[in-house]
């Protein structure tokens, strides 16, 4: 039975109550708004197109012809003529990052190089920045990042420490391209006490054919060696952060995205979750529905001792006063987010041999046993798992661990999943995934 027919039966029942009673009841049951004279894609099994749709309290209550759906309206219902235009369901983006969208505070060390298209332009920008800062002050430069393109410049090579030394011999420089690739000069390496003998668990410290440091650092475990000796990045004030998040989310609405998944927010940091909640308390009804994943870092990204990392992260997880599903239909908590490997942009995806080049090294950020301990505890506490895996080796390990967890602790419809799933894994892993 169609929604339209159901509504007509309800109206027919109350017709017996008399004209006055029927008018009061029909007004309360009538939709808030009816969109008509359109081409509305229902996306049902037959992908039917209809002329009109009725909405009540933010939910679709009827679809059908202009005549049938408009008949449901009361004198209080708003009628919108679509003038023949097409209406699609809102799009859902399952992977956005919102931390950097919360605005920024003034930072004298920051250098925006997003418009640079060549190595010469990058170095020229760094030279100009050195004139603004006293010798010895850090320069924190950032390049544009395009997903899936491993080379940041037309020259198809990242700048070396020797390139950066020419532009800034007296200033330590950190140059980043996205989250997975960092380039630094010799002074930065010196301040971080990184030598050619430094080992890099879970990340890559690049060396040339002679074993000399190139200044290229890949992944969070080695990035932290640099960032921990730098001035902290100034945080924006709360009002700036909320306004920035609002602008970003409104921009998504403008292109038809009505629901999003924020892939990794540190919910154990009360300020981040509070800012998101306050943003939705102020403007939530006019923003996309937002699901926020809880970001955890049990591996080399944060810890050198993996036993300590797993234990600390489990305590953090157990202290959270919520789990997957907490919230409402505008803002809610989603899955746990952990990152097993790096990305193509390093490149640091964890792939199975043979590697694409002799100098390729996999970026294993969370080894299997550490991942299992935290994921198992999260599963047992009722969390969903949503795990970052780019390479086929990372996918294989993650699927095996999820299989083990579900075998040891069966749970109805846990809906664990993997982000990205970029490099096709072996057939056995595909079968397990299915």
């Amino acid at each position: 039975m169609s929604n339209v027919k159901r509504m007509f039966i309800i109206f027919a029942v109350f017709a017996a109550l008399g004209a006055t009673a029927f008018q009061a009841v029909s007004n309360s049951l009538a939709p808030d708004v009816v969109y008509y004279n359109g081409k509305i894609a229902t996306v049902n099994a037959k992908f039917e197109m209809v002329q009109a749709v009725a909405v009540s309290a933010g939910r679709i209550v009827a679809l059908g012809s202009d005549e049938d759906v408009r008949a449901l309206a009361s004198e209080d219902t708003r009628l919108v003529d679509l003038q023949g235009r097409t209406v699609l369901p809102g799009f859902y983006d399952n992977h956005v990052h919102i931390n950097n969208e919360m605005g920024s505070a003034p930072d004298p060390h920051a250098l925006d190089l997003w418009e640079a298209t060549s190595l010469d332009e990058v170095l020229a920008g760094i030279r100009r920045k050195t004139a603004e800062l006293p010798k010895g002050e850090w320069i924190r430069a950032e390049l544009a990042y395009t997903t899936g393109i491993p080379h940041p410049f037309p020259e198809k090579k990242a700048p070396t420490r020797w390139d950066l030394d020419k532009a800034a011999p007296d200033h330590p420089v950190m140059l980043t391209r996205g989250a997975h690739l960092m380039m630094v000069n010799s002074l930065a390496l010196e301040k971080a006490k990184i030598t050619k003998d430094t080992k890099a668990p879970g990340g890559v410290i690049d060396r040339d054919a002679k074993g000399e440091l190139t200044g290229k650092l890949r992944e969070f475990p080695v990035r932290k060696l640099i960032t921990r000796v730098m001035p902290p990045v100034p945080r924006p004030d709360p009002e700036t952060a909320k306004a920035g998040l609002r602008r970003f989310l409104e921009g998504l609405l403008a292109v038809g995205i009505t629901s999003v998944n924020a892939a990794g927010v540190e919910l154990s940091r009360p300020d981040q979750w509070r800012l998101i909640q306050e943003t939705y308390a102020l403007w939530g009804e006019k923003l996309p529905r937002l699901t926020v994943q809880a970001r955890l870092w049990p591996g080399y990204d944060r810890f050198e001792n993996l036993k300590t990392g797993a234990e600390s992260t489990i305590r953090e997880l157990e202290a959270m006063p919520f789990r997957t599903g907490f919230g409402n239909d505008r803002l809610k908590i989603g899955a746990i987010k952990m990152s097993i490997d790096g990305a193509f942009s390093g490149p640091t995806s964890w792939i199975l041999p043979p590697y694409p080049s002799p100098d390729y090294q996999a970026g294993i950020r969370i080894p299997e046993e550490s991942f299992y301990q935290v994921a198992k505890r999260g599963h047992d506490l009722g969390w969903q798992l949503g795990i970052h895996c780019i390479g086929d080796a990372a996918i294989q390990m993650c699927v095996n661990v999820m299989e083990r967890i579900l075998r040891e602790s069966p749970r109805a419809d846990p809906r664990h999943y993997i982000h990205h799933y970029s490099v096709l894994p072996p057939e056995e892993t595909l079968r397990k995934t299915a």
Side-chain angles (χ1 to χ4, degrees), residues 42 95 101 156 246 273 278 371:
T42 64
H95 198 109
E101 309 303 334
K156 293 190 175 182
R246 179 190 181 186
W273 178 234
E278 290 175 359
F371 172 57

Side-chain angles (χ1 to χ4, degrees), residues 250-316:
E250 287 176 337
L252 296 178
L253 275 182
V255 292
I257 297 171
T258 58
S259 299
V260 292
N261 179 66
V265 174
E266 293 189 56
L267 298 184
S268 58
R269 273 180 50 189
D271 60 322
Q272 288 204 350
W273 178 234
R274 185 178 66 250
L275 286 170
I276 296 169
Q277 284 184 304
E278 290 175 359
T279 300
Y280 270 77
L282 290 169
W283 306 294
E285 290 301 315
K286 296 181 179 180
L287 298 176
R289 289 176 171 84
L290 178 63
T291 300
V292 178
Q293 285 191 261
R295 161 69 86 171
L296 299 179
W297 309 84
Y300 292 122
D301 289 355
R302 290 280 172 88
F303 299 93
E304 295 179 13
N305 184 302
L306 293 176
K307 183 175 184 294
T308 301
E311 292 173 350
S312 176
T313 305
I314 287 172
R315 286 195 299 271
E316 177 185 346

Side-chain angles (χ1 to χ4, degrees), residues 344-367:
F344 293 135
S345 57
T348 47
S349 51
W350 180 13
I351 61 175
L352 297 169
Y355 293 153
S357 65
D359 64 344
Y360 189 91
Q361 298 182 59
I364 304 171
R365 297 163 65 183
I366 308 177

Side-chain angles (χ1 to χ4, degrees), residues 7 27-35 53-62 76-78 285 289 329-330:
M7 294 294 287
N27 283 344
S28 66
L29 290 175
D32 300 324
V33 57
V34 167
Y35 299 91
V53 56
V55 177
S56 183
R59 296 187 178 273
I60 292 173
V61 294
D76 297 323
T77 300
R78 184 164 63 95
E285 290 301 315
R289 289 176 171 84
D329 70 337
R330 306 305 303 183

Side-chain angles (χ1 to χ4, degrees), residues 363-386:
I364 304 171
R365 297 163 65 183
I366 308 177
E368 181 171 345
E369 189 56 30
S370 297
F371 172 57
Y372 164 75
Q373 292 176 59
V374 178
K376 174 69 161 55
R377 187 61 182 132
H379 170 89
D380 289 344
L381 289 171
W383 284 86
Q384 183 184 22
L385 305 174

